Amino acid sequence: QGFGAHGIEFLDCKRAVLDHSTARMIGASAVVISGGDRKNLVPSNNVVRDCEIEQTNRLWRTSNYAAIRLSGVGVTVENNRI
């Protein structure tokens, strides 16, 4: 709660899982997650599920930071309350 910029960052990961977590009052994106090989379409198998995300973009209100920001291949986002 109350992070300055992004809440949680998983960068260039494989099999990272964020499960049953709460993020609120975040400056930009609550979760930034990337991984996998786009060129060869190798999935990262990263997962964000059953999380509760509230009040993102608190510092940069005029920007369009997504609550969950994705990049890469094979990221699953399921059953989250945003």
Side-chain angles (χ1 to χ4, degrees):
Q1 181 171 333
F3 287 94
H6 302 301
I8 300 167
E9 292 183 289
F10 295 104
L11 304 177
D12 296 321
C13 292
K14 292 181 181 175
R15 294 180 295 281
V17 177
L18 183 64
D19 194 11
H20 289 89
S21 296
T22 301
R24 62 174 64 97
M25 296 182 66
I26 307 298
S29 295
V31 179
V32 177
I33 189 163
S34 68
D37 182 344
R38 293 182 77 173
K39 182 178 178 182
N40 297 306
L41 295 178
V42 177
S44 63
N45 297 315
N46 294 328
V47 179
V48 179
R49 79 169 148 261
D50 298 320
C51 294
E52 209 173 293
I53 298 171
E54 302 173 351
Q55 299 174 327
T56 61
N57 275 328
R58 304 284 295 169
L59 293 178
W60 297 282
R61 292 173 192 238
T62 59
S63 70
N64 289 322
Y65 284 110
I68 301 175
R69 193 165 137 200
L70 309 171
S71 65
V73 180
V75 179
T76 301
V77 176
E78 61 187 7
N79 202 38
N80 296 290
R81 186 175 148 273
I82 300 172

mmCIF file of all heavy atoms in Angstrom, residues 2-7 24-30 55-61 63 65:
data_model
loop_
_atom_site.group_PDB
_atom_site.id
_atom_site.type_symbol
_atom_site.label_atom_id
_atom_site.label_comp_id
_atom_site.label_asym_id
_atom_site.label_seq_id
_atom_site.Cartn_x
_atom_site.Cartn_y
_atom_site.Cartn_z
ATOM 1 N N GLY A 2 0.516 2.211 -0.845
ATOM 2 C CA GLY A 2 1.184 3.496 -0.840
ATOM 3 C C GLY A 2 2.577 3.522 -1.450
ATOM 4 O O GLY A 2 3.452 4.187 -0.933
ATOM 5 N N PHE A 3 2.803 2.798 -2.553
ATOM 6 C CA PHE A 3 4.106 2.827 -3.222
ATOM 7 C C PHE A 3 4.233 4.090 -4.059
ATOM 8 O O PHE A 3 3.259 4.619 -4.564
ATOM 9 C CB PHE A 3 4.279 1.606 -4.131
ATOM 10 C CG PHE A 3 4.515 0.339 -3.387
ATOM 11 C CD1 PHE A 3 3.465 -0.498 -3.070
ATOM 12 C CD2 PHE A 3 5.792 -0.010 -2.998
ATOM 13 C CE1 PHE A 3 3.679 -1.668 -2.381
ATOM 14 C CE2 PHE A 3 6.016 -1.185 -2.308
ATOM 15 C CZ PHE A 3 4.959 -2.016 -2.001
ATOM 16 N N GLY A 4 5.468 4.582 -4.271
ATOM 17 C CA GLY A 4 5.697 5.791 -5.030
ATOM 18 C C GLY A 4 5.431 5.651 -6.510
ATOM 19 O O GLY A 4 4.800 6.497 -7.111
ATOM 20 N N ALA A 5 5.888 4.592 -7.141
ATOM 21 C CA ALA A 5 5.676 4.408 -8.581
ATOM 22 C C ALA A 5 4.941 3.101 -8.789
ATOM 23 O O ALA A 5 3.781 2.985 -8.437
ATOM 24 C CB ALA A 5 7.001 4.448 -9.322
ATOM 25 N N HIS A 6 5.620 2.104 -9.355
ATOM 26 C CA HIS A 6 4.989 0.805 -9.567
ATOM 27 C C HIS A 6 5.009 0.007 -8.263
ATOM 28 O O HIS A 6 5.965 0.072 -7.500
ATOM 29 C CB HIS A 6 5.713 0.021 -10.660
ATOM 30 C CG HIS A 6 5.757 0.746 -11.965
ATOM 31 N ND1 HIS A 6 4.629 1.143 -12.632
ATOM 32 C CD2 HIS A 6 6.792 1.158 -12.718
ATOM 33 C CE1 HIS A 6 4.971 1.750 -13.743
ATOM 34 N NE2 HIS A 6 6.284 1.785 -13.814
ATOM 35 N N GLY A 7 3.957 -0.772 -8.053
ATOM 36 C CA GLY A 7 3.871 -1.562 -6.834
ATOM 37 C C GLY A 7 4.803 -2.754 -6.836
ATOM 38 O O GLY A 7 5.729 -2.850 -6.038
ATOM 39 N N ARG A 24 -2.993 -1.203 -3.251
ATOM 40 C CA ARG A 24 -3.848 -0.010 -3.298
ATOM 41 C C ARG A 24 -3.003 1.238 -3.056
ATOM 42 O O ARG A 24 -1.952 1.164 -2.440
ATOM 43 C CB ARG A 24 -5.018 -0.101 -2.335
ATOM 44 C CG ARG A 24 -4.706 -0.200 -0.882
ATOM 45 C CD ARG A 24 -5.974 -0.148 -0.008
ATOM 46 N NE ARG A 24 -6.871 -1.252 -0.202
ATOM 47 C CZ ARG A 24 -6.921 -2.335 0.557
ATOM 48 N NH1 ARG A 24 -6.076 -2.471 1.550
ATOM 49 N NH2 ARG A 24 -7.800 -3.264 0.318
ATOM 50 N N MET A 25 -3.502 2.347 -3.589
ATOM 51 C CA MET A 25 -2.833 3.644 -3.496
ATOM 52 C C MET A 25 -1.428 3.580 -4.097
ATOM 53 O O MET A 25 -0.436 3.890 -3.433
ATOM 54 C CB MET A 25 -2.806 4.135 -2.052
ATOM 55 C CG MET A 25 -4.180 4.391 -1.487
ATOM 56 S SD MET A 25 -4.188 5.020 0.199
ATOM 57 C CE MET A 25 -3.433 6.605 -0.064
ATOM 58 N N ILE A 26 -1.358 3.190 -5.364
ATOM 59 C CA ILE A 26 -0.096 3.033 -6.078
ATOM 60 C C ILE A 26 0.109 4.232 -7.005
ATOM 61 O O ILE A 26 -0.824 4.695 -7.643
ATOM 62 C CB ILE A 26 -0.108 1.724 -6.903
ATOM 63 C CG1 ILE A 26 -0.464 0.520 -6.030
ATOM 64 C CG2 ILE A 26 1.221 1.515 -7.617
ATOM 65 C CD1 ILE A 26 0.489 0.229 -4.908
ATOM 66 N N GLY A 27 1.344 4.721 -7.118
ATOM 67 C CA GLY A 27 1.639 5.887 -7.934
ATOM 68 C C GLY A 27 1.406 5.689 -9.416
ATOM 69 O O GLY A 27 0.939 6.589 -10.105
ATOM 70 N N ALA A 28 1.715 4.520 -9.960
ATOM 71 C CA ALA A 28 1.542 4.241 -11.388
ATOM 72 C C ALA A 28 0.831 2.888 -11.526
ATOM 73 O O ALA A 28 -0.270 2.728 -11.048
ATOM 74 C CB ALA A 28 2.884 4.258 -12.106
ATOM 75 N N SER A 29 1.473 1.894 -12.149
ATOM 76 C CA SER A 29 0.878 0.564 -12.284
ATOM 77 C C SER A 29 1.064 -0.237 -11.001
ATOM 78 O O SER A 29 2.116 -0.172 -10.368
ATOM 79 C CB SER A 29 1.533 -0.198 -13.437
ATOM 80 O OG SER A 29 1.264 0.424 -14.667
ATOM 81 N N ALA A 30 0.060 -1.014 -10.637
ATOM 82 C CA ALA A 30 0.173 -1.857 -9.445
ATOM 83 C C ALA A 30 1.113 -3.029 -9.697
ATOM 84 O O ALA A 30 1.923 -3.381 -8.842
ATOM 85 C CB ALA A 30 -1.199 -2.362 -9.024
ATOM 86 N N GLN A 55 -7.071 1.999 -6.699
ATOM 87 C CA GLN A 55 -6.462 3.334 -6.655
ATOM 88 C C GLN A 55 -5.043 3.355 -7.236
ATOM 89 O O GLN A 55 -4.069 3.647 -6.544
ATOM 90 C CB GLN A 55 -6.469 3.878 -5.232
ATOM 91 C CG GLN A 55 -7.859 4.024 -4.667
ATOM 92 C CD GLN A 55 -7.843 4.420 -3.209
ATOM 93 O OE1 GLN A 55 -6.956 4.044 -2.459
ATOM 94 N NE2 GLN A 55 -8.840 5.185 -2.805
ATOM 95 N N THR A 56 -4.931 3.073 -8.536
ATOM 96 C CA THR A 56 -3.646 3.179 -9.224
ATOM 97 C C THR A 56 -3.555 4.551 -9.893
ATOM 98 O O THR A 56 -4.515 5.310 -9.906
ATOM 99 C CB THR A 56 -3.489 2.066 -10.272
ATOM 100 O OG1 THR A 56 -4.525 2.183 -11.245
ATOM 101 C CG2 THR A 56 -3.551 0.697 -9.625
ATOM 102 N N ASN A 57 -2.391 4.877 -10.455
ATOM 103 C CA ASN A 57 -2.141 6.172 -11.111
ATOM 104 C C ASN A 57 -2.311 7.347 -10.163
ATOM 105 O O ASN A 57 -2.784 8.412 -10.554
ATOM 106 C CB ASN A 57 -3.056 6.363 -12.326
ATOM 107 C CG ASN A 57 -2.484 5.739 -13.567
ATOM 108 O OD1 ASN A 57 -1.281 5.681 -13.739
ATOM 109 N ND2 ASN A 57 -3.358 5.264 -14.423
ATOM 110 N N ARG A 58 -1.947 7.189 -8.929
ATOM 111 C CA ARG A 58 -2.126 8.261 -7.937
ATOM 112 C C ARG A 58 -1.176 9.439 -8.177
ATOM 113 O O ARG A 58 -1.521 10.566 -7.898
ATOM 114 C CB ARG A 58 -1.911 7.711 -6.524
ATOM 115 C CG ARG A 58 -2.797 6.531 -6.169
ATOM 116 C CD ARG A 58 -4.194 6.909 -5.864
ATOM 117 N NE ARG A 58 -4.209 7.717 -4.656
ATOM 118 C CZ ARG A 58 -5.263 8.384 -4.243
ATOM 119 N NH1 ARG A 58 -6.372 8.358 -4.920
ATOM 120 N NH2 ARG A 58 -5.214 9.085 -3.133
ATOM 121 N N LEU A 59 0.024 9.188 -8.692
ATOM 122 C CA LEU A 59 0.983 10.272 -8.922
ATOM 123 C C LEU A 59 0.847 10.891 -10.309
ATOM 124 O O LEU A 59 1.021 12.078 -10.481
ATOM 125 C CB LEU A 59 2.421 9.767 -8.731
ATOM 126 C CG LEU A 59 2.801 9.370 -7.322
ATOM 127 C CD1 LEU A 59 4.233 8.854 -7.290
ATOM 128 C CD2 LEU A 59 2.674 10.557 -6.381
ATOM 129 N N TRP A 60 0.591 10.063 -11.318
ATOM 130 C CA TRP A 60 0.521 10.526 -12.695
ATOM 131 C C TRP A 60 -0.895 10.330 -13.215
ATOM 132 O O TRP A 60 -1.159 9.528 -14.096
ATOM 133 C CB TRP A 60 1.526 9.771 -13.555
ATOM 134 C CG TRP A 60 2.919 10.027 -13.120
ATOM 135 C CD1 TRP A 60 3.661 11.135 -13.386
ATOM 136 C CD2 TRP A 60 3.748 9.181 -12.321
ATOM 137 N NE1 TRP A 60 4.900 11.030 -12.799
ATOM 138 C CE2 TRP A 60 4.975 9.835 -12.141
ATOM 139 C CE3 TRP A 60 3.566 7.931 -11.739
ATOM 140 C CZ2 TRP A 60 6.019 9.292 -11.416
ATOM 141 C CZ3 TRP A 60 4.603 7.381 -11.019
ATOM 142 C CH2 TRP A 60 5.820 8.069 -10.855
ATOM 143 N N ARG A 61 -1.824 11.082 -12.703
ATOM 144 C CA ARG A 61 -3.242 10.907 -13.039
ATOM 145 C C ARG A 61 -3.558 11.154 -14.508
ATOM 146 O O ARG A 61 -4.554 10.684 -15.009
ATOM 147 C CB ARG A 61 -4.098 11.807 -12.167
ATOM 148 C CG ARG A 61 -4.087 11.372 -10.725
ATOM 149 C CD ARG A 61 -4.789 12.375 -9.864
ATOM 150 N NE ARG A 61 -4.510 12.078 -8.480
ATOM 151 C CZ ARG A 61 -5.431 11.838 -7.581
ATOM 152 N NH1 ARG A 61 -6.687 11.874 -7.907
ATOM 153 N NH2 ARG A 61 -5.098 11.572 -6.345
ATOM 154 N N SER A 63 -1.662 10.193 -16.972
ATOM 155 C CA SER A 63 -1.080 9.122 -17.782
ATOM 156 C C SER A 63 -2.062 7.965 -17.881
ATOM 157 O O SER A 63 -3.074 7.920 -17.198
ATOM 158 C CB SER A 63 0.225 8.636 -17.162
ATOM 159 O OG SER A 63 -0.042 7.951 -15.966
ATOM 160 N N TYR A 65 -1.274 4.613 -17.311
ATOM 161 C CA TYR A 65 -0.664 3.388 -16.791
ATOM 162 C C TYR A 65 -1.766 2.388 -16.476
ATOM 163 O O TYR A 65 -2.727 2.708 -15.784
ATOM 164 C CB TYR A 65 0.131 3.659 -15.513
ATOM 165 C CG TYR A 65 1.457 4.327 -15.736
ATOM 166 C CD1 TYR A 65 1.657 5.638 -15.357
ATOM 167 C CD2 TYR A 65 2.505 3.629 -16.313
ATOM 168 C CE1 TYR A 65 2.881 6.259 -15.552
ATOM 169 C CE2 TYR A 65 3.726 4.237 -16.516
ATOM 170 C CZ TYR A 65 3.919 5.555 -16.137
ATOM 171 O OH TYR A 65 5.122 6.147 -16.326
#
